Amino acid sequence: MLIRSKAPLRIGLAGGGTDVSPYSDLFGGAILNATIDLYAYATLEPLNNGKIEFCIDGTDRCLMMDSVQEIPLQQDYELFIGVYNRVVKQFGLSPLSFRLTSYIEAPQGSGLGTSSTIVVSLLGAFVEWLNLPLGKYDIAHLAYEIERIDLNLAGGKQDQYAATFGGINFLEFLGNDKVIVNPLNLKSKIVNELELNLLLYFTATQRESARIITDQVKNVEQKNTQAIEAMHNLKAQALQMKDHLIRGELAKMGEILRFGWENKKRMAQSISNLTIDEIYEAALNAGASGGKISGAGGGGFMFFFCPGVTKISVAKSIERFGGKVQPFKFTSQGLTTWTI
């Protein structure tokens, strides 16, 4: 028997960073994001030999140990171990025996919510195997707690909910970790046009989002007026984009993305750098009307809104920086699990 799960990665269209505490606790956050057809997969194979195996697919890295109630954290396997420890503890289970393998279709640290999506897919495999009584909100919140509380990894809340629910969503982040997922049931022609006009570009660089997010948190805690005002503007950007998408006013997308990008750079110094700025300017000069980094910043994926037929010229203008255009389609499905 094999238990499978997959969860989609996401691009953050607007409001990124306002889901991070303490901003979301103090002021409330809002994000608009969309899941795409790049996935984190997990395969769980039950064993009866009293062993646990964690494997990172595509590498020769596997960790094997005796089945125990709680596993000490080990480098490279923190996400596996965090999910296992929480599941066993929260549901009062005896030590389990299994082989758990993960695979992801994008580099970690690329700004598409990879770590959180891996956690959701791993957690989904246990939910399927053990028939755990968890709905979508429960899974997303549990994944958030595993990352942010159990493993003490810096970050926000959007990725876990995007990966679990899937689709194009307007997410609200309130005090006491309350999250409201509002699916945008857009007309198919709007989704198709948005998909056609967005160009996703991997800068061929990865970054550690935790450092950027730590700077952002520090700015809020120290009441940095510029950073907090920028986050207020990003929250307003998410609301603007939601309203324009619902009305099908895609001509406003580039302007809203530019507004968001200028404010995002004010949240923390490490969000942009000279190379990112050069790529951005080249894309605008080639016909893009706006764009931004997806995720915390500092590298990874960027995307641009390319109106009319400018997508090809924009792609040619930025590929000279050594990165790669990533084809994608939006997906409406979130976490999916099955048994074979």
Side-chain angles (χ1 to χ4, degrees):
M1 180 173 69
L2 294 176
I3 292 89
R4 308 275 202 190
S5 71
K6 69 174 185 177
L9 300 175
R10 61 98 188 105
I11 54 175
L13 294 169
T18 65
D19 60 322
V20 178
S21 297
Y23 180 86
S24 59
D25 301 320
L26 294 171
F27 305 104
I31 283 181
L32 184 65
N33 64 26
T35 54
I36 60 176
D37 59 346
L38 295 173
Y39 294 91
Y41 294 90
T43 296
L44 191 152
E45 181 181 357
L47 303 175
N48 57 9
N49 61 359
K51 299 290 184 181
I52 292 175
E53 296 180 38
F54 296 131
C55 296
I56 302 172
D57 199 18
T59 75
D60 57 0
R61 289 183 292 168
C62 278
L63 179 67
M64 181 184 294
M65 70 206 76
D66 291 329
S67 180
V68 292
Q69 197 82 18
E70 183 175 356
I71 304 170
L73 293 180
Q74 298 194 39
Q75 188 175 0
D76 296 332
Y77 298 92
E78 293 92 344
L79 302 182
F80 289 86
I81 294 170
V83 171
Y84 171 79
N85 286 347
R86 173 55 86 94
V87 166
V88 169
K89 179 181 179 181
Q90 181 157 326
F91 295 96
L93 303 174
S94 300
L96 303 171
S97 181
F98 58 90
R99 179 183 297 113
L100 183 57
T101 303
S102 75
Y103 169 71
I104 190 162
E105 294 181 323
Q108 285 190 256
S110 57
L112 300 180
T114 51
S115 294
S116 299
T117 307
I118 290 172
V119 171
V120 168
S121 67
L122 296 175
L123 184 55
F126 282 105
V127 171
E128 172 77 9
W129 180 31
L130 303 170
N131 195 27
L132 300 178
L134 298 175
K136 289 184 178 181
Y137 274 100
D138 302 316
I139 292 171
H141 183 71
L142 184 55
Y144 163 75
E145 286 196 339
I146 290 169
E147 274 195 280
R148 306 295 174 238
I149 299 174
D150 298 357
L151 298 176
N152 198 30
L153 299 174
K157 306 179 181 73
Q158 70 157 315
D159 299 340
Q160 298 86 354
Y161 287 84
T164 304
F165 282 82
I168 301 175
N169 295 300
F170 179 74
L171 307 174
E172 298 175 82
F173 304 93
L174 309 175
N176 299 316
D177 288 337
K178 183 178 180 180
V179 180
I180 301 173
V181 179
N182 304 283
L184 297 192
N185 297 314
L186 303 174
K187 294 179 181 178
S188 59
K189 68 177 183 179
I190 296 173
V191 175
N192 288 335
E193 187 67 12
L194 180 63
E195 186 179 271
L196 177 64
N197 286 312
L198 281 179
L199 183 149
L200 185 61
Y201 176 76
F202 183 50
T203 63
T205 61
Q206 294 165 259
R207 82 288 182 273
E208 186 182 349
S209 62
R211 180 173 57 85
I212 298 171
I213 292 168
T214 298
D215 290 344
Q216 177 186 324
V217 169
K218 190 180 299 181
N219 284 336
V220 176
E221 291 175 341
Q222 295 177 350
K223 297 181 173 58
N224 182 310
T225 304
Q226 174 178 293
I228 292 174
E229 181 185 353
M231 291 182 206
H232 290 339
N233 289 338
L234 286 167
K235 183 167 61 174
Q237 177 211 17
L239 288 161
Q240 291 170 10
M241 188 174 289
K242 179 196 73 167
D243 291 343
H244 286 299
L245 279 177
I246 290 172
R247 293 195 291 264
E249 298 170 344
L250 295 186
K252 297 284 188 179
M253 282 290 295
E255 177 186 335
I256 297 171
L257 286 171
R258 289 200 314 272
F259 173 76
W261 176 236
E262 291 304 316
N263 280 281
K264 188 175 181 66
K265 290 189 291 184
R266 295 168 59 202
M267 287 165 48
Q269 288 185 344
S270 50
I271 284 174
S272 190
N273 55 48
L274 181 60
T275 300
I276 290 172
D277 290 342
E278 288 179 347
I279 294 170
Y280 197 94
E281 287 303 314
L284 293 187
N285 290 336
S289 57
K292 66 182 287 292
I293 284 273
S294 183
F301 280 90
M302 304 177 72
F303 63 88
F304 300 95
F305 189 79
C306 306
V309 291
T310 61
K311 196 170 184 177
I312 294 174
S313 62
V314 172
K316 288 180 179 178
S317 74
I318 60 178
E319 282 182 333
R320 63 186 170 86
F321 291 96
K324 177 184 176 183
V325 172
Q326 173 66 56
F328 77 93
K329 294 188 182 302
F330 292 126
T331 176
S332 60
Q333 294 292 320
L335 174 67
T336 305
T337 65
W338 66 99
T339 300
I340 58 172

